[in-house]
Amino acid sequence: MSVRTAQLYRLFSHPSCISSARQSFWWSVGPATSWRLRSMDPGISTITPSLPPADSSAAGMKSDATGGQEETPQVELLPGETVVREGKAAILFPNANEVFYNPVQEFNRDLTCAVITEFAREMLAQRGVKVVVPGEKERVVVSLTEEKNEADVQTEDKHGEEEPKVTATAGEKCEEGLRVLEGLAASGLRSVRFTLEVPGLHSVTANDFSSKAAVLIARNAQYNRVNHLLQASCKDASILMYEMRGKKERYDVIDLDPYGSPASFLDAAVQAVGEGGLLCVTCTDMAVMAGNNGETCYSKYGAVSIKAKYCHEMALRIILHSLDQRAGVYQRYIQPLLSVSADFYIRVFVRVFTGQATVKNSASKQAMLYNCVGCGSFHLQRMGRRTSNGKHMKYSAATGPPVGPECEHCGQRHQLGGPIWAEPIHDLGFVQKVLSAVSGNPSRFGTSKRIEGMLSMVTEELEDVPLYYTVDNLSSTIHCNTPPLLQFRSALLHAGHRVSLSHACKNAVKTDAPPAAIWDIMRCWEKKNPVKREKLSPTSPAFKILSTEPCLEACFTVREDANPQSRKRHLTRFQENPQAFWGPKARAKAGGGIATDLQDKRKKCQNKRKNQITDSSELKNFPCKRFKQGTCTHGDKCYYSHDVEQTSEEKKD
């Protein structure tokens, strides 16, 4: 018996885990009940209860003589547990902060269920299996354009092709279905929702390195009666994926949603996902990816992040670059399906393929970024060059740089960031399918309105234009009033450029116009709303930009096509605060314990400068840090307290 198995055995044998009311429950300790390790896949340690013979079956049910199914006994709550309901799942969750759970991530989980459903629909259609979703009507492709034509409404029925004879529904095991792995499952909520809401699944493995989390996953699977599909695993996620990287053992879907950075799991993930499989990755270390720590970002993802207004989309392109780079080591490459920047995290869905010839295109898909620190203008420099030579492709080194030593608009220096993914970050055809499914069945998810709004914005984005500008930052650079968004978009359209919004930022402007054209439009706007030139410093970016006359006459008359359909329809495009202090939650404690109130922690750690001490005599109420370290040389003249008892009390706290 391994050490971890022995720990789990002692945990379940503890009297606190035994229900005195019903000794027949699957977690109770008795002569007919024992714990064993079972796995559908070789090499996976799966925690599965051995029920008494009368109640044991693969699906958590038993069949009677007439062919009916009898439900297993209902699981009772242990002391201190509550039931958390989300979607169709009901999760047993301890009050102690032993297992991580964030209710604000419901949008993330809803979107993942929708994406995997459409992915399963595509994959299983090739295997002759039809996916059936309750409440879903005839599939119609959603079009946000006002003009209606025959191409806007397309049903999924294909020109006289026969309907698949095999159907797959949620909650039932599909022999030809997908094998799913959730590498860091915590409470198992996401995996339970997969089994209850995503049709066409063969098995779901919910893994977590924490033994308490693995125990909770097993109980939640039993509580939701999905233990015929869901197996709880207690193993290091990287080791588990490395063991399953054989071609016949790979997973069809891998979901990684860690607390913080997923960088340490990406190498194993790109190997363990099957050919054409789906890899879902969440990053919550936005401080690193948004430019606060560029050197840390490079050590984790192989790219330097820049603090700029487009940082949220840049974070998406950094993680895509990292995935493609790691996949290229194994002659594999990625195809992004959907990339979403939402609140304090980002979420990407990519398919992974194998192909030595296609991997050679990777260098031309990455780009270095030159960002001006003065005016915010940016330029991309591809890392490789690819030219078509008949049936063959010629690869060569890129030429550059695209900028001079100083910015041509404001005279300031450039920052160098990247490399980042410079290709489209969405597959618009796939996004349209997900959008059609969600809008056609709005009662399926609790966040359907927000999913519909965000995906609608994604379909409107210029897919071949990386990054974006923000109107308020352009105005702030030259110290003028901010032009209305529709007028600024109209000016770009009148000048012959394409323009769109971005789901990553409320006032973003994504356009193929060069920086020179954008600043010409801002100069024309400044002429209508003049600033006080005498107050501008001769060395400031505003002075340099406004000293140049515009090369074009901008027209700010509002055009009809300047207002996108998602904005006209007033869709819920961005997160609305669901509750107070709804941001990232505290990390789960390894030893458990009751979670401290976040408000108490804020009172202790924040607002320290609001009531500043003005009288030096009050400093005697605080212990001397150097005295505790043994380095204070002031003696009795020190302003802080050298009281040993007070110092020891601070250490206890």
Side-chain angles (χ1 to χ4, degrees):
M1 180 182 294
S2 64
V3 177
R4 185 167 297 280
T5 305
Q7 293 175 348
L8 293 175
Y9 182 83
R10 289 196 298 270
L11 176 64
F12 280 97
S13 302
H14 196 274
S16 62
C17 294
I18 302 177
S19 173
S20 58
R22 301 180 65 177
Q23 294 293 329
S24 62
F25 290 159
W26 62 274
W27 69 83
S28 61
V29 179
T33 306
S34 62
W35 282 90
R36 58 188 174 91
L37 295 177
R38 187 188 69 175
S39 174
M40 295 185 63
D41 302 316
I44 302 181
S45 301
T46 338
I47 305 172
T48 307
S50 292
L51 297 175
D55 293 336
S56 62
S57 70
M61 297 182 176
K62 67 175 183 177
S63 302
D64 54 21
T66 61
Q69 288 184 331
E70 180 181 343
E71 296 181 356
T72 55
Q74 184 63 270
V75 178
E76 288 187 351
L77 273 68
L78 295 178
E81 282 187 339
T82 57
V83 178
V84 177
R85 299 187 182 277
E86 183 180 296
K88 293 184 178 180
I91 299 298
L92 304 177
F93 192 77
N95 290 335
N97 190 29
E98 298 174 345
V99 181
F100 181 77
Y101 167 69
N102 189 357
V104 181
Q105 290 277 28
E106 180 182 2
F107 170 77
N108 187 333
R109 291 182 282 267
D110 286 351
L111 181 62
T112 304
C113 289
V115 169
I116 295 180
T117 300
E118 293 309 306
F119 176 74
R121 197 189 305 274
E122 288 186 3
M123 296 292 291
L124 297 186
Q126 303 172 7
R127 306 175 188 178
V129 180
K130 181 180 179 181
V131 169
V132 178
V133 179
E136 192 173 66
K137 301 179 182 179
E138 185 181 18
R139 296 297 304 281
V140 176
V141 177
V142 175
S143 176
L144 295 178
T145 59
E146 294 179 343
E147 299 179 359
K148 296 184 179 179
N149 50 53
E150 294 180 359
D152 289 339
V153 180
Q154 301 173 348
T155 61
E156 273 197 341
D157 297 335
K158 298 191 177 180
H159 306 294
E161 291 186 1
E162 295 182 359
E163 287 285 333
K165 296 181 180 180
V166 181
T167 60
T169 57
E172 296 182 0
K173 184 175 181 178
C174 178
E175 295 299 330
E176 299 294 330
L178 306 181
R179 295 172 58 247
V180 182
L181 168 67
E182 185 184 4
L184 306 119
S187 63
L189 171 59
R190 189 183 298 259
S191 294
V192 172
R193 290 196 58 185
F194 289 165
T195 59
L196 293 175
E197 302 178 29
V198 179
L201 300 184
H202 180 273
S203 64
V204 178
T205 302
N207 176 77
D208 201 282
F209 188 69
S210 168
S211 58
K212 293 185 178 180
V215 169
L216 186 61
I217 294 170
R219 295 191 65 234
N220 283 324
Q222 186 77 4
Y223 186 77
N224 289 271
R225 299 186 180 91
V226 293
N227 52 327
H228 61 293
L229 279 175
L230 177 61
Q231 297 89 39
S233 170
C234 185
K235 210 166 189 178
D236 181 270
S238 295
I239 295 178
L240 172 59
M241 289 186 286
Y242 278 130
E243 291 176 349
M244 305 302 294
R245 58 184 175 177
K247 290 185 178 181
K248 296 183 179 180
E249 300 172 344
R250 293 171 177 171
Y251 293 98
D252 299 297
V253 180
I254 294 181
D255 190 298
L256 297 176
D257 187 5
Y259 187 96
S261 173
S264 58
F265 307 103
L266 298 182
D267 182 78
V270 296
Q271 298 181 68
V273 67
E275 180 66 15
L278 180 64
L279 181 57
C280 318
V281 181
T282 299
C283 304
T284 56
D285 55 337
M286 287 301 296
V288 172
M289 305 188 74
N292 285 352
N293 304 97
E295 65 284 351
T296 304
C297 185
Y298 180 81
S299 65
K300 291 183 177 182
Y301 303 103
V304 178
S305 58
I306 292 179
K307 186 181 292 185
K309 291 296 182 179
Y310 49 75
C311 60
H312 290 88
E313 182 178 332
M314 186 178 182
L316 290 172
R317 296 183 178 275
I318 285 176
I319 185 63
L320 291 176
H321 156 74
S322 183
L323 286 170
D324 188 67
Q325 186 182 43
R326 295 169 196 251
V329 176
Y330 310 101
Q331 301 300 316
R332 311 194 80 185
Y333 62 95
I334 66 168
Q335 175 188 334
L337 295 181
L338 175 63
S339 305
V340 174
S341 175
D343 317 321
F344 53 87
Y345 66 92
I346 59 174
R347 180 75 164 168
V348 295
F349 302 89
V350 301
R351 295 186 68 177
V352 182
F353 297 91
T354 304
Q356 184 176 4
T358 310
V359 170
K360 293 182 179 179
N361 299 333
S362 179
S364 60
K365 295 179 181 179
Q366 322 298 326
M368 300 300 294
L369 175 66
Y370 292 85
N371 179 76
C372 175
V373 298
C375 62
S377 301
F378 59 86
H379 301 267
L380 294 180
Q381 170 64 61
R382 298 275 180 161
M383 298 188 66
R385 186 179 179 185
R386 179 183 57 186
T387 54
S388 178
N389 187 11
K391 296 183 179 180
H392 303 282
M393 195 71 66
K394 182 180 179 181
Y395 301 93
S396 58
T399 58
V403 296
E406 297 178 349
C407 177
E408 60 179 322
H409 308 293
C410 67
Q412 301 293 319
R413 69 184 189 279
H414 288 95
Q415 288 178 319
L416 183 61
I420 62 174
W421 178 266
E423 294 292 300
I425 60 177
H426 313 291
D427 184 339
L428 294 185
F430 182 83
V431 175
Q432 285 282 10
K433 294 179 181 179
V434 179
L435 176 58
S436 300
V438 174
S439 59
N441 191 9
S443 61
R444 184 183 178 192
F445 302 115
T447 60
S448 292
K449 289 185 178 180
R450 187 184 171 203
I451 293 177
E452 182 180 359
M454 176 167 287
L455 295 184
S456 298
M457 291 197 69
V458 168
T459 59
E460 296 169 345
E461 289 184 7
L462 297 176
E463 59 178 342
D464 58 340
V465 177
L467 308 180
Y468 52 81
Y469 295 92
T470 59
V471 181
D472 58 337
N473 188 55
L474 294 173
S475 304
S476 176
T477 301
I478 60 176
H479 306 288
C480 73
N481 296 334
T482 303
L485 183 61
L486 292 184
Q487 292 190 27
F488 187 78
R489 285 169 53 91
S490 298
L492 288 169
L493 292 173
H494 283 301
H497 303 290
R498 294 180 299 150
V499 63
S500 73
L501 298 179
S502 173
H503 78 280
C505 183
K506 289 183 178 180
N507 54 352
V509 175
K510 187 183 281 281
T511 178
D512 60 352
I518 294 176
W519 287 120
D520 279 344
I521 293 176
M522 292 304 300
R523 292 185 187 102
C524 294
W525 176 259
E526 189 273 338
K527 289 182 179 297
K528 296 184 177 183
N529 303 270
V531 300
K532 297 180 179 180
R533 303 289 184 93
E534 62 274 8
K535 291 188 176 181
L536 298 179
S537 172
T539 59
S540 66
F543 184 86
K544 182 70 178 297
I545 293 173
L546 296 179
S547 298
T548 305
E549 288 297 321
C551 298
L552 60 86
E553 186 65 29
C555 177
F556 293 97
T557 304
V558 177
R559 291 177 42 152
E560 183 65 23
D561 54 350
N563 195 14
Q565 289 296 314
S566 61
R567 196 169 183 267
K568 287 181 179 179
R569 295 165 56 189
H570 303 287
L571 298 179
T572 304
R573 300 174 296 167
F574 301 99
Q575 171 71 52
E576 297 177 359
N577 295 355
Q579 59 188 10
F581 308 106
W582 59 274
K585 305 302 179 183
R587 184 190 293 268
K589 296 182 179 178
I594 303 299
T596 58
D597 189 5
L598 292 179
Q599 296 305 312
D600 295 339
K601 187 176 181 180
R602 288 188 178 93
K603 292 178 181 179
K604 179 180 179 181
C605 300
Q606 295 183 2
N607 301 327
K608 293 182 177 180
R609 298 184 180 181
K610 287 189 176 180
N611 299 319
Q612 295 187 5
I613 297 176
T614 57
D615 188 1
S616 60
S617 61
E618 298 181 9
L619 296 176
K620 281 292 183 180
N621 297 327
F622 299 91
C624 179
K625 294 182 180 180
R626 293 185 178 180
F627 178 76
K628 290 190 293 183
Q629 299 172 357
T631 59
C632 183
T633 58
H634 298 288
D636 296 337
K637 296 182 180 180
C638 182
Y639 289 113
Y640 296 93
S641 173
H642 287 188
D643 189 358
V644 179
E645 296 181 357
Q646 185 177 2
T647 304
S648 60
E649 289 179 0
E650 290 290 332
K651 288 184 178 180
K652 292 181 180 179
D653 295 340

